[in-house]
């Protein structure tokens, strides 16, 4: 989601900047340049603004992540193999290590960084070219008088070097603190008017600090290299900078002491257009310009047309325009940077296609209020619901528990389980959200008894038929969403996995259930748990890593995703110290995992699914056909 957030923010900012420049096409080029420069400044400010501005989440559809589902029984640990494993272990059945492929996020970030390095490389080379060129260029002292005479009119208060270099075909400006105008070696042979116009153009670049803004924009474009609109905006920024300097040439009274024609008798726009055409020929016949040169041969045709357009407004951007752009940049960067893309998907509550099956008869009874109402407890996700061929019964539970049972827990098919849900635990306000208070209240519970001749499957009696009942009698409408939340991943530690796969005879299928398992073989398929003096001991009769992850989730209060890639079954004992502090408990569990099993827990963020109630009504009670 990081890549999507950046893509969205860059698109919004530069689209606004380009749209503003488009709407200002009949305005001054300097104004359009300010708008585009503000867009790049906003992109540059995004990282800092993102740390300051409070996040504003935007929910977008997320790719469906496979949920971790455990076995239906709370004590039978013959759980389904973890579906997060994508590799096959080589060697022994319990290999001590496996090849872990990088995640998609890591792959995207790595590709982004690699691309940025590639696009930043020309900037580094270009800076070296400019440094070498300035070091080897020849000072042109004869032009100092002309430049000094034009400095005041150009409103430039810094000394500007005038240099000549054999590698240049046309004039260019470089430098920030020590700006310089670099001209071709044959510049002394140019007509006086052409030389003055070229110097005025370059001095305007110095005044506007175009060298700095172009370099910064190029760095920003390199960082956002994957987005084509960034390169469109960068080329447009460079063009508007050249056009703003062209406008200054035409507006400057220093060219001809206020006259409308040049010394050759041509009007100034035509004479300057001819000079630009000559520059295009020079660039075509000359060697490759420096990588950071601002003038581009492909833009000269557009510049010539603009120079000859008598209707085109010309002049500098005023202080009000610049101040407004600065304020707009700050507001835009703050507003856009606060956008946070949240993985979420509004998907149907049930995967069932077509009319759902219904009970032949169903009775809904409101339960008597309890003096001290208790929450969920017992089997079937804390509902104590039972089913048998043709019959379904659930004692007094909240409406929230009924919804969870039917749509996401024991009644739902595996494909409808909530993403990264701690299956086997009861419903809560994180799993079922929205709706009126009575849906979640422990003071308002219902008992349901239903029959359906011929129905023999749990998913039918406890799932789809119960869904139909809720939708018909409770008028329930809901949908699914996901959110990114902190979780833990269970992986193999550096020292390697320490358990050996279960062998015949490791467990006793006929062993009685016993609290004290010391010196006894555990009962096959059973999990024995006990806590004595702050120490918890889990004895797995037939354990899997996905089952262990589920137990850790319930014990630690944070979902644990099995990423070990191990699908074998094991008989083992795991002990850890209980700590009332969650972080301390996590640390003690992690230490025990690594020392006893060769596993480790790592903090991460992953999508968690939940159901959202759109509408619901209190049910019509009593019996009858749904």
């Amino acid at each position: 989601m990081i890549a999507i957030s950046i893509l969205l923010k860059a698109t919004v900012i530069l689209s606004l900047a380009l749209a503003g420049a488009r709407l200002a096409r009949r305005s001054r080029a300097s104004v359009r340049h300010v708008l585009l420069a503000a867009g790049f400044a906003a992109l540059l400010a995004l990282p800092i603004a993102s740390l300051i501005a409070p996040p504003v989440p935007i929910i977008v559809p997320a790719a469906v992540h496979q949920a971790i589902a455990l076995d239906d029984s709370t004590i039978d640990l013959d759980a389904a193999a973890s579906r997060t494993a994508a590799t096959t272990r080589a060697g022994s059945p319990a290999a001590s290590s496996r090849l872990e492929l990088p995640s998609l996020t890591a792959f995207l970030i790595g590709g982004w960084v690699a691309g940025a390095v590639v696009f930043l490389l020309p900037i580094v080379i270009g800076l070296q070219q400019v440094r070498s060129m300035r070091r080897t260029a020849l000072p042109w002292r004869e032009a100092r008088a002309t430049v000094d005479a034009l400095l005041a009119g150009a409103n430039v208060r810094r000394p500007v070097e005038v240099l000549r270099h054999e590698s240049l075909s046309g004039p260019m400006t470089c430098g920030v603190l020590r700006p310089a105008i670099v001209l071709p070696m044959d510049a002394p042979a140019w007509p006086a008017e052409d030389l003055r116009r070229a110097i005025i153009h370059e001095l305007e670049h110095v005044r506007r600090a175009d060298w700095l803004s172009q370099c910064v924009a190029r760095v920003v474009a390199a960082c956002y290299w994957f987005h084509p609109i960034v390169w469109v905006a960068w080329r447009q920024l460079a063009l508007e900078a050249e056009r703003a300097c062209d406008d200054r040439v035409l507006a400057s009274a220093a060219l001809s002491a206020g006259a409308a024609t040049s010394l050759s008798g041509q009007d100034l726009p035509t004479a300057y257009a001819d000079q630009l055409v000559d520059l295009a020929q020079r660039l075509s016949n000359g060697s490759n310009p420096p990588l950071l040169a601002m003038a581009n041969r492909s833009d000269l045709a557009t510049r010539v047309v603009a120079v000859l357009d008598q209707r085109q407004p010309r002049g500098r951007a005023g202080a009000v325009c610049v101040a407004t752009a600065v304020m707009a940049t700050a507001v835009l960067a703050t507003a856009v940077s606060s956008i946070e893309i949240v993985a979420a998907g509004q998907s149907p509550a049930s995967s069932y296609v077509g009319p759902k099956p219904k009970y032949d008869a169903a009775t809904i009874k409101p339960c008597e209020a309890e003096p001290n109402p208790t929450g969920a407890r017992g089997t079937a996700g804390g509902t104590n619901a039972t089913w048998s061929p043709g019959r379904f019964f659930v004692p007094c539970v909240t409406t929230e528990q009924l919804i969870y049972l039917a749509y996401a827990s024991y009644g739902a098919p595996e494909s409808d389980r909530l993403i990264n849900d701690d299956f086997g635990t009861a419903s809560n306000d994180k799993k079922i959200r929205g709706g009126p208070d009575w849906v979640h209240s422990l003071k308002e519970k219902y008992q349901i008894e239903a029959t359906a001749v011929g129905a023999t499957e749990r998913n039918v009696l406890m799932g789809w038929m119960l869904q139909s009942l809720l939708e018909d009698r409770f008028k329930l409408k809901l949908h699914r969403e996901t959110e990114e939340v902190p979780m833990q991943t269970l992986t193999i530690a550096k020292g390697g996995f320490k358990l050996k796969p279960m062998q015949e005879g490791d467990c006793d299928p006929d062993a009685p259930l016993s609290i004290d398992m010391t010196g006894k073989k555990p009962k096959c398929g059973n999990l024995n748990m006990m806590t004595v003096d702050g120490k918890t001991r889990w004895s797995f009769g037939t354990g899997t890593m996905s089952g262990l992850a589920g137990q850790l989730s319930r014990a630690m209060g944070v979902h644990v995703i099995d990423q070990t890639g191990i699908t074998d079954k094991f008989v083992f004992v795991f002990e850890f110290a209980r700590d009332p502090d969650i972080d301390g408990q996590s640390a003690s569990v992690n230490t025990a995992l690594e020392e006893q099993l060769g596993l480790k827990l790592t903090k991460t963020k992953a999508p968690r699914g939940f159901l959202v109630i759109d509408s619901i009504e209190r049910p019509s009670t009593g019996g009858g056909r749904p």
Side-chain angles (χ1 to χ4, degrees):
M1 306 312 289
I2 295 175
I4 296 176
S5 296
I6 293 175
L7 185 65
L8 175 64
K9 295 173 184 179
T11 301
V12 170
I13 290 175
L14 291 181
S15 294
L16 290 175
L18 287 170
R22 176 67 177 172
L23 292 174
R25 61 186 180 276
R26 300 307 305 173
S27 183
R28 292 165 288 173
S30 56
V31 172
R32 294 191 295 274
H33 185 271
V34 168
L35 292 173
L36 292 167
F40 278 96
L43 286 185
L44 191 65
L46 269 180
I48 298 176
S50 297
L51 298 175
I52 300 175
V56 177
I58 293 182
I59 299 175
V60 298
V64 177
H65 293 256
Q66 191 73 25
I68 305 287
L70 303 181
D71 189 82
D72 294 335
S73 173
T74 55
I75 61 173
D76 185 0
L77 299 182
D78 290 335
S82 172
R83 292 178 297 279
T84 58
T87 59
T88 302
R89 293 171 293 116
S92 64
S96 61
S97 63
R98 66 185 181 93
L99 177 63
E100 295 186 7
L101 297 177
S103 65
L104 178 60
T105 300
F107 178 79
L108 291 176
I109 293 176
W112 181 10
V113 173
V117 171
V118 170
F119 283 93
L120 285 170
L121 189 59
I123 302 175
V124 176
I125 296 174
L127 291 173
Q128 291 294 331
Q129 284 180 335
V130 170
R131 181 181 180 185
S132 175
M133 183 179 61
R134 290 191 65 165
R135 188 171 59 249
T136 58
L138 298 177
W140 190 12
R141 296 181 178 83
E142 292 79 2
R144 285 298 322 167
T146 302
V147 172
D148 290 342
L150 295 173
L151 282 175
N155 199 24
V156 176
R157 295 178 174 82
R158 289 172 291 169
V160 180
E161 288 186 275
V162 184
L163 307 171
R164 290 187 299 155
H165 200 277
E166 59 184 0
S167 66
L168 290 182
S169 301
M172 70 168 289
T173 301
C174 59
V176 178
L177 299 178
R178 296 188 304 111
I181 297 174
V182 189
L183 298 163
M185 291 299 294
D186 64 346
W190 291 4
E193 294 174 83
D194 289 357
L195 180 60
R196 290 168 65 85
R197 283 191 287 263
I199 291 176
I200 289 175
H201 180 101
E202 300 305 324
L203 284 176
E204 185 66 7
H205 278 310
V206 173
R207 186 196 70 82
R208 291 163 44 86
D210 282 335
W211 168 258
L212 176 61
S213 64
Q214 284 295 113
C215 289
V216 171
R218 184 71 179 269
V219 170
V220 173
C223 293
Y224 291 86
W225 61 269
F226 55 88
H227 204 322
I229 198 174
V230 175
W231 298 103
V232 173
W234 174 67
R235 285 307 317 154
Q236 190 68 22
L237 179 76
L239 173 60
E240 299 301 347
E242 295 298 326
R243 288 187 58 179
C245 294
D246 292 340
D247 289 347
R248 181 57 186 167
V249 171
L250 298 178
S252 177
L255 282 171
S256 53
T261 60
S262 65
L263 297 177
S264 62
Q266 291 180 302
D267 62 278
L268 291 177
T270 302
Y272 189 46
D274 287 344
Q275 185 175 344
L276 292 178
V277 172
D278 180 64
L279 176 60
Q281 294 174 343
R282 284 174 167 274
L283 294 178
S284 298
N285 298 330
S287 58
N288 292 329
L291 292 175
L292 296 182
M294 285 181 279
N296 191 294
R297 185 171 66 246
S298 61
D299 295 334
L300 286 170
T302 304
R303 291 171 59 187
V304 169
V305 172
V307 165
L308 296 175
D309 186 358
Q310 299 296 328
R311 299 171 300 172
Q312 179 66 45
R314 310 187 191 282
R316 294 169 173 170
V320 174
C321 176
V322 174
T324 303
V326 171
M327 294 179 61
T329 299
V331 172
L332 183 62
T334 303
V336 175
S337 63
S338 63
I339 296 175
E340 180 179 349
I341 301 299
V342 178
Q346 290 196 7
S347 56
S350 175
S351 62
Y352 194 89
V353 178
K356 296 176 183 175
K358 297 184 179 183
Y359 298 119
D360 295 329
T363 300
I364 303 176
K365 294 181 180 179
C367 299
E368 295 183 4
E370 302 172 1
N372 298 303
T374 58
R377 60 186 177 184
T379 60
T383 63
N384 279 326
T386 59
W387 65 278
S388 60
R391 183 181 179 276
F392 167 71
F393 175 76
V394 60
C396 294
V397 295
T398 64
T399 305
E400 170 197 281
Q401 289 173 291
L402 288 172
I403 294 172
Y404 180 62
L405 173 64
Y407 288 89
S409 185
Y410 288 91
E414 189 173 314
S415 59
D416 282 356
R417 306 268 170 88
L418 294 177
I419 299 170
N420 287 328
D421 179 27
D422 296 324
F423 187 73
T425 59
S427 62
N428 54 49
D429 57 2
K430 290 185 175 62
K431 298 181 179 184
I432 309 296
R433 305 184 185 183
D437 291 341
W438 62 264
V439 172
H440 311 277
S441 174
L442 295 175
K443 297 180 180 180
E444 187 163 340
K445 298 181 179 181
Y446 295 92
Q447 173 184 295
I448 297 177
E449 186 170 3
T451 57
V453 177
T456 60
E457 297 181 9
R458 187 200 66 213
N459 289 345
V460 176
L461 283 160
M462 196 181 286
W464 294 322
M465 287 184 174
L466 181 55
Q467 292 178 18
S468 293
L469 184 72
L470 291 168
E471 292 165 10
D472 293 340
R473 303 276 285 271
F474 287 76
K475 309 301 179 186
L476 174 66
K477 293 182 181 179
L478 72 164
H479 66 271
R480 296 172 181 268
E481 292 188 8
T482 60
E483 62 181 351
E484 294 281 330
V485 296
M487 295 186 185
Q488 300 261 14
T489 59
L490 181 67
T491 57
I492 298 174
K494 290 183 179 180
F497 190 55
K498 297 183 178 181
L499 296 181
K500 294 182 179 181
M502 172 180 167
Q503 302 293 326
E504 186 176 354
D506 287 349
C507 63
D508 184 358
D510 300 321
L513 295 177
S514 173
I515 296 178
D516 184 10
M517 297 298 299
T518 306
K520 300 177 182 179
K521 286 186 179 180
K523 183 178 179 62
C524 295
N526 182 65
L527 168 61
N528 185 286
M529 298 183 292
M530 67 179 190
T531 300
V532 178
D533 297 331
K535 189 174 236 184
T536 296
R537 186 175 188 269
W538 295 344
S539 178
F540 290 82
T542 308
T544 62
M545 293 304 100
S546 60
L548 175 62
Q551 292 299 329
L552 289 170
S553 299
R554 288 184 275 276
M556 298 173 61
V558 59
H559 186 71
V560 177
I561 305 172
D562 173 26
Q563 290 186 348
T564 60
I566 299 173
T567 59
D568 297 300
K569 296 178 181 179
F570 303 88
V571 173
F572 65 98
V573 173
F574 176 58
E575 295 182 336
F576 60 96
R578 286 284 187 178
D579 193 317
D581 177 68
I582 294 298
D583 291 335
Q585 177 175 312
S586 177
S588 63
V589 170
N590 224 343
T591 301
L593 281 170
E594 186 163 358
E595 292 178 351
Q596 300 173 35
L597 309 181
L599 301 173
K600 67 175 181 178
L601 291 172
T602 304
K603 292 182 179 180
T604 186
K605 278 194 172 184
R608 176 176 64 193
F610 58 95
L611 292 167
V612 179
I613 298 174
D614 298 317
S615 62
I616 192 172
E617 299 176 5
R618 282 187 170 92
S620 56
T621 58
R625 186 177 175 83

